Structure formats: structure tokens, C-alpha cells
Amino acid sequence: MVFGEDASNVIMIKPLGYLDMLHLMNNADKIITDSGGIQKEAYMLGKPCITLRENTEWVETVEAGWNVLVGADEAKIVGAVNHFNFSKSRIPLYGDNVCKKIVEINKY
């Protein structure tokens, strides 16, 4: 895969609503983004994330092996797309059974 030469596998679409975006992300093999929020959502969905930034506010996703920072370096981007070996296990970085706990708290 070389950028600029063949982008036949790239489909440009109009902006999506939140639920439609989650649906696409949930059906992706890997996610490439520069968005902080999408990095976190990718982790929650169990999708490896390739981040087009030099740093991130979600360092825990990088430390957990689910997110890799590649910046704008074409070789790093292509390498991550083709060879990013993400962690197969996900620890609950943002809590465990959070939805259940929220429901219980809001019963009162």
C-alpha cells in the first residue's frame, strides 16, 4: 500500500451521525484517526487504533497495546496498517460493569 498511487480501497463519505459512525467503527478491522475521542471509542469497541498524532491524551490506550502513535510519517502509517500487533486482551481501563453501576446509582 503506497499513499497517493492507489487509493482504490478508500471510499470518501459525507460526515456521519454518532450512531452511524459507531456502527462503521464496530465493523472495522483497524481504525485510523487523529481524533482523541475516536481513540477511546476504538478501545471500547475492541478495535486496534492507529493514531495520526505525535501524542495523545489517552496514553493508557497506547500503554495497553491497543493504540499506536504514528504522526504523519507515511512509512510509519503504512507499517502500522500492515503490521500493528495489538494486544489481544483488553483490561477495563475505564471501569468494569460501568453501565450496571450507573443504573444502580440512578435507581435512588
Side-chain angles (χ1 to χ4, degrees):
M1 173 182 193
V2 178
F3 291 106
E5 292 182 17
D6 180 16
S8 61
N9 61 338
V10 175
I11 301 169
M12 299 295 286
I13 60 174
K14 293 181 180 185
L16 298 173
Y18 181 69
L19 295 178
D20 290 331
M21 182 66 174
L22 283 179
H23 177 74
L24 286 181
M25 290 172 59
N26 194 43
N27 288 288
D29 291 326
K30 295 178 183 168
I31 295 171
I32 303 173
T33 187
D34 66 348
S35 164
I38 289 179
Q39 293 172 57
K40 190 172 180 182
E41 289 165 342
Y43 179 82
M44 297 291 209
L45 292 169
K47 304 298 175 177
C49 187
I50 299 162
T51 300
L52 307 176
R53 291 169 45 182
E54 299 293 331
N55 53 49
T56 179
E57 59 274 26
W58 305 111
V59 293
E60 60 274 16
T61 63
V62 175
E63 293 168 353
W66 281 83
N67 189 2
V68 62
L69 303 175
V70 296
D73 183 299
E74 183 177 332
K76 287 182 180 179
I77 296 167
V78 172
V81 168
N82 292 327
H83 306 291
F84 178 29
N85 293 318
F86 62 96
S87 172
K88 300 294 184 207
S89 62
R90 278 186 311 136
I91 58 172
L93 293 176
Y94 306 107
D96 193 20
N97 295 314
V98 175
C99 292
K100 192 176 195 180
K101 291 175 185 175
I102 291 170
V103 169
E104 289 300 316
I105 290 169
N106 287 316
K107 282 185 177 179
Y108 304 105

